[in-house]
Amino acid sequence: MNKTYDTDVLIVGAGPTGTTLAADLLRRDISVRIVDKAPHSFQGSRAKGIQPRTQEIFEDLGILNEIQNQSTLYPLMGIHLGPLTLPFKMQKKKKITSDVPYPNTLLIPQFRTDQILHTLIESHGCNIEYSTEVTDYNQDQEGISVTLATGEVVYCQYLVGADGGASKVRKLSNFQFVGETHEEDRMILIDGTIDNLSRKRWHVWPKVQGKQVAACPLPHSDQFQVMIRVQPNDEIDLDHQVLTQQLKSLIGKTIYDITWTSVFRPNVRLSEKYRNKRVFIAGDAAHVHTPAGAQGLNTGVQDAYNLGWKIGQVIHGTADDSLLNTYEAERQPIAARVLNKSNELYSEIENNSVTGLKRGDEERQLSISYYGGPLASKETPQTDTLKSGDRAPDAKFKTSGENKRLFELFKGTHFTLLSYGKHAITTSKAYDISEQILKHYEINNVENSSQGIADYSKNIIKNYGLTTDTIILIRPDGYIGSIITEHFEENLATALKQFGIISK
Ligand SMILES: Cc1cc2nc3c(=O)[nH]c(=O)nc-3n(C[C@H](O)[C@H](O)[C@H](O)COP(=O)(O)OP(=O)(O)OC[C@H]3O[C@@H](n4cnc5c(N)ncnc54)[C@H](O)[C@@H]3O)c2cc1C
């Protein structure tokens, strides 16, 4: 860090987006301060679905085991229609495949996900500064001064607003938050204990006294997350006794030991911009949508994962500032698609259609691609299965008798080069670059080869669609940076320069 800065990056908001970004920057030796206006960490179950792509990110950050220990798969739904309870499968349980190690959505309350992320950043020596609100900022060519409600002014290189849907940072940046809020459509959320209600079902009462009610069991606890969607003119009272009586009259069960309540209004909005020079916004600060499809937290975590390595490259001086423009260019179109999808699902739920409860491949977020964006030109070659910008798939292989996976090799902050075929391997080997920046693996199909990865199960070759000499450059966030199948020397040099791996 340059001596004149108090910290490299100031992050506003210690929700899942802000803490994921902090964790990614800290492991890149970037100094970080993270402030939150709340007096303590968030206590509610709010976002409870962790999608397969987010699980892959959490594996890279080293917290997936903890997330798995504290979660379960989603239970079957139980749809209560009068005296009948119909079982309903929201999503088909998928099998693990060589390219997708975590195919199913995990159920875990947000306060646990937040806690696991907080423990991770604390292990890097970064403590969240609670009761610390950001109120203003001023920037110039060299840096940005951020004013806190405590009176302190923090001078840093970058400010990231991960400060939720009502983002102060977004407002200070004068970004329009385009979309709509359905003021009349409200949902009461309650975390509490309910006895004599099966914990093997996510219960749904599609219509009781004109309301929709749902109760989802929160894993490894005796709590449920209850949702009551009320009528436009209903009065809402969050007093615990009132809520207990209301639920009793709706579903005949008593809720007690209530630990969190909230009223939620579906807001569907997208920020027109994600960047103002040294200021970025991410997560709910940049996009909000309905909870249908369990996408909000996941999209925020992935914003952070996209932004982290780019800020790292620029602060370390290996890439120029223009790399940071690719954050908005890559992430904003993804949020726009998520907004459409969650709207579609939500309006089906609103009409009591079961298709609104079904979850498919799009929600798993594995097919997200940056193809055609600023870092993945449509002009570059493709393999039989992949294009630039696509998610780099996993693949199982065996080396020296040991079972391994490609994702174990990708883990960390570095770029990865996979070379297949003699010409590709010779070209890649010519570079002598620190393993902290770039790791290179040769792929061959020779059993017991002493060199590189012996892919005799052909999983890598199959998943990466390799048919001819090929070099694949994989970004630190696990997306394909470049596919090279000809003019190896020239094209590899261009790709390495594009990402700041070698100087221009
Ligand atoms: C009922 C419901 C169910 C949901 N289910 C899912 C789901 O299953 N999966 C999913 O992916 N998403 C789900 N979501 C959405 C998810 O909760 C959000 O998308 C997620 O919390 C966004 O994370 P974030 O870190 O961007 O923002 P937040 O979690 O909102 O965190 C923002 C933080 O910024 C702090 N802050 C705000 N202003 C300031 C300021 N001026 N100064 C300092 N600090 C500030 C706040 O105190 C807060 O801690 C659900 C939401 C609801 C309501």
Side-chain angles (χ1 to χ4, degrees):
M1 182 181 61
N2 181 314
K3 269 206 274 292
T4 56
Y5 298 112
D6 298 316
T7 185
D8 288 324
V9 181
L10 180 72
I11 297 173
V12 194
T17 306
T19 36
T20 299
L21 179 64
D24 198 20
L25 292 173
L26 288 162
R27 67 181 185 155
R28 295 171 191 282
D29 291 328
I30 304 286
S31 67
V32 170
R33 276 180 68 180
I34 178 163
V35 297
D36 198 299
K37 72 174 180 185
H40 49 66
S41 62
F42 182 68
Q43 306 286 301
S45 62
R46 209 154 68 142
K48 55 192 183 307
I50 302 290
Q51 298 296 350
R53 179 61 189 147
T54 307
Q55 292 170 47
E56 294 177 355
I57 293 169
F58 286 164
E59 178 180 35
D60 179 32
L61 293 176
I63 54 167
L64 183 62
N65 282 346
E66 202 45 41
I67 295 278
Q68 286 169 331
N69 289 341
Q70 298 204 36
S71 61
T72 54
L73 294 179
Y74 271 72
L76 274 183
M77 283 199 151
I79 304 186
H80 297 263
L81 299 168
L84 293 177
T85 305
L86 303 180
F88 180 80
K89 203 175 257 180
M90 195 166 74
Q91 47 200 335
K92 253 199 184 142
K93 190 173 165 210
K94 303 239 178 197
K95 288 209 173 95
I96 295 174
T97 54
S98 165
D99 58 333
V100 178
Y102 312 110
N104 298 299
T105 312
L106 292 176
L107 175 67
I108 177 169
Q110 182 166 340
F111 60 82
R112 278 197 214 144
T113 304
D114 279 0
Q115 193 52 55
I116 292 168
L117 282 161
H118 291 178
T119 306
L120 173 66
I121 64 171
E122 278 157 26
S123 74
H124 288 280
C126 177
N127 292 311
I128 297 161
E129 299 170 48
Y130 287 111
S131 304
T132 306
E133 186 175 351
V134 163
T135 57
D136 205 358
Y137 72 72
N138 264 303
Q139 56 180 327
D140 57 31
Q141 287 282 328
E142 276 77 44
I144 174 160
S145 301
V146 185
T147 310
L148 308 179
T150 54
E152 184 186 355
V153 177
V154 182
Y155 189 55
C156 52
Q157 305 208 47
Y158 295 101
L159 168 69
V160 182
D163 48 347
S167 170
K168 180 79 180 177
V169 176
R170 186 189 64 236
K171 288 173 189 161
L172 290 169
S173 308
N174 291 320
F175 298 161
Q176 294 301 309
F177 207 27
V178 184
E180 51 193 25
T181 304
H182 300 277
E183 289 295 342
E184 73 297 345
D185 185 6
R186 292 153 309 153
M187 200 154 43
I188 302 173
L189 295 164
I190 317 165
D191 288 349
T193 304
I194 305 174
D195 292 334
N196 304 318
L197 185 63
S198 168
R199 299 195 65 78
K200 293 197 176 128
R201 293 279 183 275
W202 178 347
H203 303 271
V204 178
W205 292 264
K207 214 162 202 173
V208 272
Q209 299 166 30
K211 299 175 177 52
Q212 284 178 342
V213 183
C216 181
L218 299 175
H220 310 300
S221 77
D222 53 10
Q223 283 201 312
F224 284 84
Q225 180 193 64
V226 174
M227 289 178 256
I228 307 173
R229 193 158 177 200
V230 300
Q231 299 268 2
N233 297 322
D234 286 350
E235 289 224 349
I236 291 184
D237 185 344
L238 294 183
D239 176 78
H240 291 190
Q241 266 188 350
V242 173
L243 290 176
T244 302
Q245 277 163 10
Q246 188 179 3
L247 196 67
K248 177 90 181 170
S249 110
L250 286 168
I251 64 165
K253 306 277 177 198
T254 304
I255 188 163
Y256 61 97
D257 285 351
I258 293 173
T259 53
W260 174 70
T261 61
S262 177
V263 180
F264 174 76
R265 284 175 186 77
N267 233 330
V268 182
R269 291 179 184 274
L270 181 63
S271 179
E272 49 152 7
K273 283 185 176 181
Y274 280 25
R275 179 180 189 192
N276 170 22
K277 297 177 204 146
R278 293 182 171 273
V279 181
F280 298 88
I281 54 167
D284 273 22
H287 44 76
V288 286
H289 22 92
T290 77
Q295 303 289 288
L297 176 151
N298 291 278
T299 308
V301 165
Q302 288 170 53
D303 286 346
Y305 198 57
N306 183 287
L307 183 58
W309 69 271
K310 293 175 181 173
I311 291 185
Q313 292 283 104
V314 173
I315 288 186
H316 287 310
T318 48
D320 61 43
D321 180 82
S322 60
L323 182 64
L324 294 172
N325 288 332
T326 68
Y327 163 65
E328 175 184 305
E330 290 194 330
R331 292 303 301 169
Q332 199 187 40
I334 305 290
R337 278 206 287 283
V338 170
L339 254 61
N340 280 337
K341 185 71 195 171
S342 86
N343 250 357
E344 191 188 298
L345 293 173
Y346 195 73
S347 60
E348 281 168 3
I349 293 172
E350 203 170 7
N351 298 326
N352 276 319
S353 153
V354 286
T355 36
L357 302 173
K358 278 254 178 238
R359 298 292 176 262
D361 273 349
E362 200 174 330
E363 290 87 318
R364 299 194 307 152
Q365 302 194 338
L366 294 168
S367 52
I368 285 172
S369 176
Y370 301 130
Y371 175 64
L375 295 174
S377 153
K378 287 189 175 168
E379 310 303 313
T380 59
Q382 309 184 357
T383 70
D384 271 8
T385 55
L386 294 171
K387 306 184 290 295
S388 284
D390 288 352
R391 161 187 168 273
D394 200 4
K396 293 178 181 170
F397 62 92
K398 218 170 196 166
T399 186
S400 315
E402 243 190 289
N403 289 319
K404 290 247 177 206
R405 293 167 43 223
L406 272 186
F407 280 4
E408 291 166 3
L409 310 184
F410 297 168
K411 201 171 170 181
T413 57
H414 55 82
F415 288 82
T416 306
L417 265 190
L418 301 179
S419 311
Y420 176 70
K422 200 167 155 219
H423 199 168
I425 290 171
T426 319
T427 311
S428 299
K429 267 181 150 173
Y431 286 92
D432 182 18
I433 296 172
S434 151
E435 286 215 334
Q436 276 189 322
I437 298 169
L438 179 78
K439 287 191 180 168
H440 172 221
Y441 298 96
E442 302 166 19
I443 298 161
N444 59 54
N445 50 15
V446 183
E447 195 154 348
N448 294 325
S449 153
S450 58
Q451 288 264 306
I453 296 172
D455 184 32
Y456 47 85
S457 60
K458 301 227 175 8
N459 280 329
I460 303 177
I461 291 166
K462 189 170 108 230
N463 297 353
Y464 280 74
L466 304 174
T467 51
T468 172
D469 275 32
T470 309
I471 300 176
I472 297 192
L473 176 64
I474 295 154
R475 304 171 8 172
D477 61 351
Y479 289 86
I480 308 285
S482 189
I483 296 174
I484 299 164
T485 53
E486 57 181 3
H487 309 303
F488 290 96
E489 287 80 6
E490 186 190 330
N491 287 337
L492 181 57
T494 306
L496 296 176
K497 281 179 197 160
Q498 182 191 17
F499 288 100
I501 300 167
I502 58 171
S503 49
K504 286 188 179 162

